[in-house]
Amino acid sequence: MQQPAPAPHGAEPPGHGADRHRSVSIFDVARAAGVSHQTVSRVVNDSPKVRKATRDRVLEVIDELGYKPNRLARALAGGLVRSVTVLTSDTTLYGASLALRGIEEAARAAEFAVAISVLDERAPLTPEDVASRLARPGEPVLVIAFNAPGERAWHALPAEFPAAAVVERPRDGHARDRPEAWLDDRAAAAQATRYLLGLGHRTVHHVAIPSSTTRVGQRAEGWREALADAGRPVPELLEGGWSPRSGYLAARALVADPQVTAVLCGNDELALGVLRAAREAGRDVPGDLSVAGFDDAPYAAYTHPALTTVRLDFEGLGRGAFGMLHRLLDPENAPPPPPWREPELIVRESTGPAPGR
């Protein structure tokens, strides 16, 4: 058998030179180490089914060639590609979009692929329907359950699926049977209400976002409790939607009343609509009407006047929810779920002392 000609003086060994500009593959490592690509994948995945001498040789070649394992390499040994399906009904909602970003960041760091399945708000969302939305049968699931469709999907998800969710704070403040992550909207709304009362306002009105669990959401509950605890009148709750238009329509008659001096909104988009309605009604903000929002969306600091609001760490919440799921899937090796920041009241220009104070 004819032997290959020796490399000219100064030529680079295989894996260098002309090959330098392409990524080193699992097959390159296997060829250089004299093993199968399945063995390389087992080494990458820390499988105990590899002899120490073989493992050391493969690791030495990986280091020499600068091989970077990827999900495909891990799957070549017959294992599963690590992935998760995120169920959400609306990726445009501010909180949901940031929670999704946090999930994606944490999943990428853990080398998980992420698939997104958008729920139909009108669908019945039976267990069979929810299961059919997963990228692969039995795949791990994360549910963004800030609104009613997400909450229905979370409850309908079959118990055998490994899953976690970001949810509206449970009424009793306790997690249910499966891992759940939430922000304490209730306490944050109570804090914002107390702040407005501290400025001398007799009471605070509330334009609410829809709730995922009950007719009255946790932000509205916190507002109501703070007023009751302070012995102040509890006005009728105004139901808004998620958009500036819904806030505008809900608040036109409200802000036209000069006896109304403070409004807490369920999110910053509602607050934009309330500010517009106040301007049309000739109300000065904050001279004779204080308006506060919720979420601290990026535009909140740049409205006129700049919006007082509650800052919520939705990205951290998403990272934490993925961490809970990762820990459920791999309790021995996955790191503890990272914490997220507590809600924080951000005081800006749209709130001030009650008229006459």
Side-chain angles (χ1 to χ4, degrees), residues 224-235:
R224 179 173 291 166
E225 287 179 1
L227 290 178
D229 290 346
R232 303 300 180 86
V234 181

Side-chain angles (χ1 to χ4, degrees), residues 205-209 238-256 260-285 288-294 299 303-305 307 350:
H205 291 72
H206 185 53
V207 182
I209 57 173
L238 290 179
E239 295 184 2
W242 298 98
S243 68
R245 176 174 171 77
S246 65
Y248 168 77
L249 295 175
R252 280 189 302 178
L254 177 70
V255 298
V260 174
T261 64
V263 181
L264 174 63
C265 300
N267 71 6
D268 291 338
E269 295 199 35
L270 290 176
L272 290 183
V274 173
L275 288 174
R276 176 66 186 183
R279 182 177 180 182
E280 289 185 0
R283 304 293 302 276
D284 177 63
V285 178
D288 58 16
L289 176 69
S290 288
V291 179
F294 230 97
Y299 54 77
T303 59
H304 181 69
L307 187 63
S350 66

Side-chain angles (χ1 to χ4, degrees), residues 19-89:
D19 291 339
R20 174 185 292 156
H21 299 294
R22 72 173 178 85
S23 298
V24 176
S25 74
I26 192 172
F27 300 101
D28 296 328
V29 175
R31 189 162 42 249
V35 299
S36 68
H37 64 263
Q38 290 94 337
T39 297
V40 176
S41 186
R42 292 188 187 103
V43 171
V44 167
N45 284 286
D46 294 323
S47 169
K49 300 179 180 179
V50 182
R51 290 182 301 173
K52 184 179 183 305
T54 302
R55 181 186 303 278
D56 291 345
R57 172 59 182 154
V58 169
L59 290 175
E60 181 182 351
V61 171
I62 286 175
D63 185 60
E64 288 176 356
L65 299 184
Y67 171 61
K68 298 185 182 301
N70 56 32
R71 285 188 293 270
L72 175 60
R74 294 179 177 181
L76 287 173
L80 293 175
V81 174
R82 301 204 301 178
S83 59
V84 59
T85 294
V86 178
L87 301 179
T88 179
S89 67

Side-chain angles (χ1 to χ4, degrees), residues 185-187 189-191 193 217-227:
D185 300 45
R186 189 171 182 165
Q191 179 190 11
T193 303
Q218 290 299 297
R219 297 180 187 184
E221 288 282 8
W223 158 77
R224 179 173 291 166
E225 287 179 1
L227 290 178

